[in-house]
Amino acid sequence: MSKDLKNLTKEQLIEYIEELRKQLNNEKFGMYFDRKKFPEEVADIIKNNIPILLRKSKMEVLNDGKIDNILIKGENLHALTALNTINPAEGMIDVIYIDPPYNTGAKDWLYNNDYVDSEDSFRHTKWLNMMEKRLLLAKELLKDSGTIIVAIDHYELFQLGMLMNQIFGEENKYGVITVVHKPEGRQFTKGLNPSNEFYLIYGKNRSVGSLFNVPLSKKKAAEFNLSDSKGNYRLEPYMRIKDGDLNNRENKPNNWYPIYVDVENNIISLIQTAKSTEVYPIYKGVEKSWSTRKELFQENLNNGDVEYKIENGEIVIYKKYREQESIKTHWIKKEYNATVFGTKVLKDILVNTEFNFPKSVYAVIDALKITASKDAVVMDFFAGSGTTGQAVMELNKEDGGNRKFILVTNNENNIMDDVCHPRLKTVITGMRRNNTKYSDGIKTNLRFFEVDYIESLLSKDQSKYNLVERCDGLLNIMENIFDKVKYGKNFNIYLNLSEEKTMGIYNNYYEENSFNEMLKRIEEINVNTKIIYYFSLDNNIDEALENKVNEKIKGAIVKPIPSKIYEIYKRISDDIEREY
């Protein structure tokens, strides 16, 4: 129980019983865990401090890339809170992949600065407390079509499954994939010898999201040996030949119709012309059938998925069968071996730096293949050694994608400074820390931020003023504009040349001379989109100021700060205080 009941008054006992009744009434299934017995200290920090993201330009890695990836150093609960303050209504993340602590009882993670071991009778409660807060904030960041993948092993599998059902809804569960990552099993294990872990995969809203049925094996991918602007494909006859008499004309009369091919003008149609040749599905003198009816044939034709070939003097109709493979729930490939393709890969990058249990980068790549489109934003807030970041970059290199990542990790045991950041830097630049060559590098950028805090004062207005002075990093991420090109008294100006955007941040009370100076410098920048942020105690746009801006910069977008950031922070901190 959360309290020593012997010391409570009658009124306090009644209040406590009512509190428990409310909690139990809200439970949708048979899992209950005490959220208040062991409050998480890092959650208490948010109650009186506004987390922000400070830019650390000296830690950034720029390699002539158009993609700006984000690496955040700090407590992930605080980073998630900060990102939520700039989260657009539609969400900002397409895919979340996380590999949280497995809570094996082997003192492999800290709760309130103490290692949790197998003798701790509340270790599952502590783990659920930790996970629930982060998953709730992560869900807010996901787009409606977004997907979350949580890697876990058997120690917390069942608890996690119930928690995920509670937060995301069982109706949004795609399923559970078993990944064989240690074929030889764990040594010295009593009873069953685990050789696998699990991916729990959920959508935020499955009715508007989906997974991608892409081939994960090289053998399967090799079957799709042709490509066009839409991707890889293989050709399959449009005529149904197999299954004997079942596909004969008399059994499928609606799939018997002429297709007209004008070879001279390279035209396929259902309408006959003077130069076209009539083609029916006839095989060795037997009247067969096409694979679709007329309506679907026309749709496939309109989509560019029909072509013909001349074979032995005859016209043969083909359909482009797009690259795909049904997603199985049991994944086994030698590339998933965490020792060979996790530990050894990391040692090769960092020159024998030790890190326990890094993931196989290929297991993460395949997880992204089925969830992340080529323009997806991928987040990992248990980033650890940075495997997810490398997986995103390697996958982009493989398929020409433009995915970007947002990674968050603390610096426990110097994991950020000694492992995650140098790993990503080496993958991007191609050079190891000892100046030896690792690879040819990857054309992309890494922007670096650190979680910091602003005291939430009794004076709301003073808190807002303090916030606006230090919110550049949050706005950099929100607008995807990072290059600081000009600055002056009370303002900074940033540029994203590849996206034709510039942003001016005026971080003080309005003062005419300095504000006009900012506008003048923004006006000199030749890009399509110009955004101006100015200090406002509420979230309303000053129409007079907006008119003034548009007189000087036609079409400029004017936005107030930091009221919305502050109000979202207060909502999150109040929720944490109320629930935990």
Side-chain angles (χ1 to χ4, degrees):
M1 301 293 285
S2 294
K3 300 181 180 181
D4 185 354
L5 303 184
K6 294 178 182 179
N7 297 325
L8 298 183
T9 65
K10 179 180 178 181
E11 290 76 17
Q12 289 172 327
L13 278 170
I14 292 172
E15 181 183 353
Y16 185 56
I17 291 170
E18 286 299 317
E19 178 185 319
L20 290 176
R21 182 180 294 166
K22 287 179 182 178
Q23 290 182 8
L24 290 171
N25 286 340
N26 287 332
E27 297 298 330
K28 296 180 181 179
F29 47 81
M31 181 178 74
Y32 171 77
F33 59 96
D34 194 333
R35 294 171 172 83
K36 294 188 176 182
K37 185 174 182 64
F38 300 101
E40 195 177 4
E41 292 173 1
V42 294
D44 287 338
I45 293 172
I46 300 178
K47 296 175 185 177
N48 301 304
N49 295 275
I50 305 171
I52 59 169
L53 301 178
L54 281 186
R55 184 91 172 271
K56 298 292 182 179
S57 299
K58 291 183 179 179
M59 298 291 289
E60 296 186 345
V61 184
L62 309 179
N63 192 24
D64 195 29
K66 293 182 179 180
I67 300 171
D68 289 299
N69 302 291
I70 309 294
L71 181 58
I72 301 172
K73 178 180 180 180
E75 165 56 48
N76 58 10
L77 180 65
H78 302 163
L80 289 167
T81 300
L83 290 171
N84 263 275
T85 65
I86 57 169
N87 188 36
E90 67 274 14
M92 63 190 296
I93 305 297
D94 297 289
V95 176
I96 294 173
Y97 174 96
I98 55 172
D99 178 29
Y102 283 4
N103 198 19
T104 65
K107 295 185 177 182
D108 55 352
W109 73 288
L110 291 165
Y111 189 85
N112 291 345
N113 294 315
D114 291 322
Y115 282 106
V116 178
D117 61 29
S118 59
E119 301 302 315
D120 188 336
S121 58
F122 287 94
R123 66 188 178 99
H124 296 298
T125 293
K126 292 176 180 178
W127 191 86
L128 287 167
N129 269 327
M130 180 272 294
M131 288 296 295
E132 184 182 45
K133 292 189 287 292
R134 287 153 180 80
L135 288 172
L136 286 169
L137 289 172
K139 181 182 178 183
E140 293 297 314
L141 294 173
L142 265 183
K143 296 177 182 176
D144 277 353
S145 59
T147 307
I148 180 169
I149 307 167
V150 186
I152 201 69
D153 74 355
H154 62 284
Y155 286 99
E156 294 290 356
L157 174 64
F158 300 110
Q159 290 83 277
L160 176 64
M162 296 178 77
L163 184 63
M164 294 291 285
N165 282 349
Q166 176 178 291
I167 292 174
F168 290 92
E170 191 171 2
E171 69 278 6
N172 291 313
K173 178 181 176 181
Y174 284 111
V176 180
I177 292 175
T178 299
V179 183
V180 179
H181 71 303
K182 195 174 181 65
E184 70 278 14
R186 294 177 181 169
Q187 301 302 311
F188 312 111
T189 301
K190 294 180 180 180
L192 298 177
N193 195 350
S195 60
N196 64 286
E197 61 184 12
F198 307 92
Y199 286 165
L200 274 66
I201 306 179
Y202 285 71
K204 185 173 182 179
N205 184 350
R206 278 194 62 181
S207 66
V208 295
S210 63
L211 302 180
F212 301 111
N213 295 322
V214 297
L216 299 180
S217 69
K218 292 181 179 179
K219 181 179 179 181
K220 188 70 176 179
E223 295 177 8
F224 301 90
N225 57 342
L226 301 170
S227 64
D228 59 15
S229 59
K230 293 167 65 175
N232 298 331
Y233 66 91
R234 69 172 185 246
L235 290 177
E236 293 193 348
Y238 216 93
M239 179 170 50
R240 283 179 169 163
I241 300 173
K242 298 178 181 179
D243 298 328
D245 295 344
L246 289 175
N247 288 316
N248 287 356
R249 176 183 179 180
E250 61 269 20
N251 294 319
K252 294 194 178 287
N254 293 320
N255 292 46
W256 170 270
Y257 51 86
I259 297 173
Y260 300 99
V261 179
D262 180 347
V263 175
E264 182 179 333
N265 295 298
N266 196 29
I267 296 173
I268 305 173
S269 176
L270 290 174
I271 301 173
Q272 188 172 20
T273 64
K275 294 185 177 181
S276 63
T277 300
E278 193 175 56
V279 182
Y280 279 97
I282 299 174
Y283 180 71
K284 294 183 178 180
V286 178
E287 294 180 338
K288 306 294 287 185
S289 60
W290 299 120
S291 59
T292 66
R293 297 186 179 193
K294 272 187 176 184
E295 296 78 12
L296 186 52
F297 172 85
Q298 186 64 56
E299 184 179 328
N300 289 331
L301 183 64
N302 294 342
N303 290 332
D305 288 334
V306 179
E307 65 178 63
Y308 71 89
K309 288 187 174 184
I310 306 296
E311 297 178 355
N312 299 321
E314 295 186 353
I315 298 173
V316 181
I317 308 296
Y318 285 96
K319 182 183 185 301
K320 293 180 180 179
Y321 187 75
R322 295 291 169 182
E323 187 177 42
Q324 60 181 282
E325 180 181 20
S326 61
I327 303 170
K328 307 296 193 301
T329 57
H330 184 71
W331 287 12
I332 180 166
K333 282 168 60 174
K334 63 183 176 65
E335 289 85 0
Y336 298 157
N337 187 304
T339 301
V340 178
F341 297 98
T343 302
K344 291 183 179 179
V345 166
L346 187 59
K347 283 186 176 182
D348 184 36
I349 295 171
L350 297 180
V351 193
N352 295 322
T353 294
E354 293 294 329
F355 177 76
N356 292 329
F357 314 122
K359 293 290 178 190
S360 161
V361 68
Y362 300 104
V364 181
I365 285 174
D366 282 357
L368 296 178
K369 282 183 177 180
I370 67 170
T371 56
S373 68
K374 289 189 176 183
D375 295 309
V377 178
V378 178
M379 168 175 262
D380 182 353
F381 51 89
F382 286 99
S385 68
T387 303
T388 302
Q390 181 177 354
V392 169
M393 292 187 286
E394 299 287 3
L395 182 55
N396 282 343
K397 185 177 178 181
E398 177 183 322
D399 68 6
N402 295 298
R403 302 169 190 84
K404 65 178 290 184
F405 62 76
I406 300 177
L407 302 190
V408 184
T409 188
N410 58 26
N411 199 34
E412 185 179 310
N413 298 321
N414 290 325
I415 190 173
M416 171 64 88
D417 295 343
D418 293 345
V419 182
C420 185
H421 180 263
R423 174 190 195 162
L424 297 176
K425 183 177 181 179
T426 295
V427 172
I428 292 171
T429 64
M431 297 300 295
R432 300 183 181 90
R433 285 182 293 185
N434 62 3
N435 290 323
T436 60
K437 184 175 180 179
Y438 167 71
S439 69
D440 292 331
I442 295 176
K443 297 294 183 183
T444 193
N445 300 327
L446 183 68
R447 306 292 183 172
F448 194 95
F449 296 81
E450 189 167 344
V451 176
D452 202 358
Y453 308 91
I454 296 171
E455 187 177 359
S456 181
L457 303 170
L458 292 176
S459 169
K460 183 189 294 185
D461 290 350
Q462 184 61 48
S463 294
K464 290 181 179 180
Y465 182 78
N466 294 345
L467 176 59
V468 79
E469 287 188 309
R470 304 176 69 196
C471 68
D472 281 30
L474 289 169
L475 298 178
N476 288 149
I477 294 173
M478 182 167 73
E479 300 291 355
N480 196 40
I481 304 175
F482 297 95
D483 294 329
K484 189 174 181 179
V485 290
K486 297 182 181 183
Y487 62 92
K489 181 181 178 182
N490 300 327
F491 69 84
N492 292 310
I493 299 174
Y494 299 88
L495 176 67
N496 182 332
L497 193 56
S498 64
E499 294 186 10
E500 291 274 321
K501 298 193 300 184
T502 190
M503 171 178 67
I505 302 175
Y506 192 80
N507 53 20
N508 208 332
Y509 293 110
Y510 177 78
E511 191 277 314
E512 187 171 9
N513 290 335
S514 59
F515 192 82
N516 286 339
E517 178 65 21
M518 179 186 72
L519 296 182
K520 178 183 176 183
R521 296 196 183 186
I522 291 175
E523 191 178 12
E524 294 169 353
I525 300 174
N526 185 25
V527 293
N528 293 329
T529 303
K530 299 183 178 182
I531 305 166
I532 290 94
Y533 281 96
Y534 72 96
F535 177 62
S536 172
L537 288 174
D538 56 30
N539 204 37
N540 297 317
I541 295 175
D542 185 326
E543 290 187 12
L545 187 64
E546 185 177 26
N547 291 335
K548 177 183 177 67
V549 170
N550 278 282
E551 285 176 7
K552 294 181 176 292
I553 308 172
K554 189 175 181 180
I557 302 169
V558 182
K559 300 182 180 183
I561 49 168
S563 183
K564 185 178 180 182
I565 293 174
Y566 180 81
E567 296 305 327
I568 294 173
Y569 153 72
K570 283 300 294 178
R571 175 180 61 78
I572 293 172
S573 64
D574 289 347
D575 285 347
I576 288 175
E577 187 165 8
R578 181 170 57 253
E579 295 296 332
Y580 304 100

